Amino acid sequence: MGGNFPHVRFQIIIFALMPLLARCQADASENNNGDADPGVETAVDWNELRDRDQGLFLASMYYLPETKEAFKDRGRWIGQTPSSFEDLMDQQEKDQLFEAFSDKMQQLDFTDQHKVAVRIERWGHIYHIFSQVGGIYSHEELLASFWSTGEFNNHFEPAFQSRDLDPREMEPIDLAANLSSTESIDIFLNIVTDVTLMDPDPSIALIRKLFDHLH
């Protein structure tokens, strides 16, 4: 995969990965120091976190297990990009969602609020890394590499089964090409979520495994 200039492309990917490595290391340090920390004493500024990128904030809310219940009409948002979450939702709906989200966060102590905030930030960071990779390779190549790792097949299999496709008889790139736009985006964002929920070291190893299928 990867077309021309694979070495240059791979170097670009590694450069793009560096902020994620730094973020993962910071997360790991924070988690490892948790027992010694008597507790966080300040609440999260959720308005500030939301206003950094409303689309990413809303999409992460939709996919992360701690926050997904805020979305009552979940079927409407399957396969929507983060920008669509922001563009297709009117202000009243955004305000209602944020109010439901804020009410739930207020039920948590400050330490747990910060854990959710870190997870939302990490979701957005991993989304950006994979999106940068998707800008270097084709979207089909990226999805094919996800499939080829063997770690995310549960997200692909329902779509393949609905088409009576046997993955053993097709190349990964051809399997990816059979997905609809809605399916491919939903699979992509579910994988972003899976990696976000992993511990830092396994997630870094998995991302490197993903890149091995791309160059």
Side-chain angles (χ1 to χ4, degrees):
M1 292 183 189
N4 297 325
F5 311 115
H7 178 71
V8 173
R9 290 184 173 200
F10 185 68
Q11 291 301 316
I12 293 172
I13 291 171
I14 292 299
F15 178 78
L17 178 61
M18 293 308 294
L20 175 58
L21 295 175
R23 177 72 261 177
C24 287
Q25 290 170 352
D27 291 347
S29 176
E30 178 179 326
N31 291 336
N32 290 338
N33 292 330
D35 293 340
D37 190 342
V40 179
E41 297 181 357
T42 57
V44 174
D45 186 344
W46 296 110
N47 288 293
E48 191 273 337
L49 182 58
R50 174 194 58 183
D51 291 343
R52 290 182 200 172
D53 189 315
Q54 286 201 35
L56 278 177
F57 185 86
L58 291 166
S60 67
M61 277 180 59
Y62 180 87
Y63 280 95
L64 287 171
E66 302 96 330
T67 55
K68 63 194 303 181
E69 291 179 1
F71 282 83
K72 303 305 181 185
D73 185 10
R74 295 192 57 80
R76 175 184 169 195
W77 299 103
I78 292 174
Q80 297 289 350
T81 63
S83 61
S84 295
F85 274 85
E86 181 173 8
D87 295 340
L88 300 179
M89 194 180 297
D90 63 35
Q91 192 58 49
Q92 181 179 3
E93 189 172 6
K94 290 177 186 176
D95 291 343
Q96 290 173 344
L97 271 171
F98 188 66
E99 182 178 355
F101 168 83
S102 297
D103 288 345
K104 182 169 184 177
M105 292 302 101
Q106 293 304 317
Q107 298 172 22
L108 304 177
D109 62 32
F110 292 160
T111 298
D112 287 339
Q113 285 188 38
H114 279 268
K115 288 179 181 178
V116 174
V118 167
R119 186 163 281 181
I120 289 173
E121 289 181 308
R122 192 162 185 253
W123 193 97
H125 200 80
I126 292 170
Y127 171 83
H128 278 308
I129 291 295
F130 285 164
S131 294
Q132 289 179 54
V133 176
I136 297 168
Y137 297 91
S138 73
H139 192 61
E140 287 78 13
E141 286 178 306
L142 181 60
L143 289 171
S145 68
F146 284 141
W147 170 263
S148 297
T149 66
E151 302 287 341
F152 307 111
N153 292 11
N154 61 304
H155 296 305
F156 290 85
E157 286 168 351
F160 296 157
Q161 290 171 0
S162 71
R163 293 166 172 76
D164 292 325
L165 297 178
D166 186 344
R168 297 168 298 181
E169 298 177 352
M170 299 178 66
E171 293 295 323
I173 191 70
D174 296 322
L175 289 168
N178 269 278
L179 297 170
S180 70
S181 175
T182 296
E183 289 168 336
S184 64
I185 293 170
D186 188 54
I187 289 169
F188 176 83
L189 296 180
N190 271 301
I191 291 171
V192 169
T193 305
D194 283 358
V195 177
T196 299
L197 297 177
M198 295 175 67
D199 289 334
D201 287 344
S203 70
I204 293 170
L206 181 59
I207 291 169
R208 292 192 180 280
K209 182 178 179 181
L210 165 69
F211 291 167
D212 285 342
H213 291 282
L214 282 167
H215 81 285

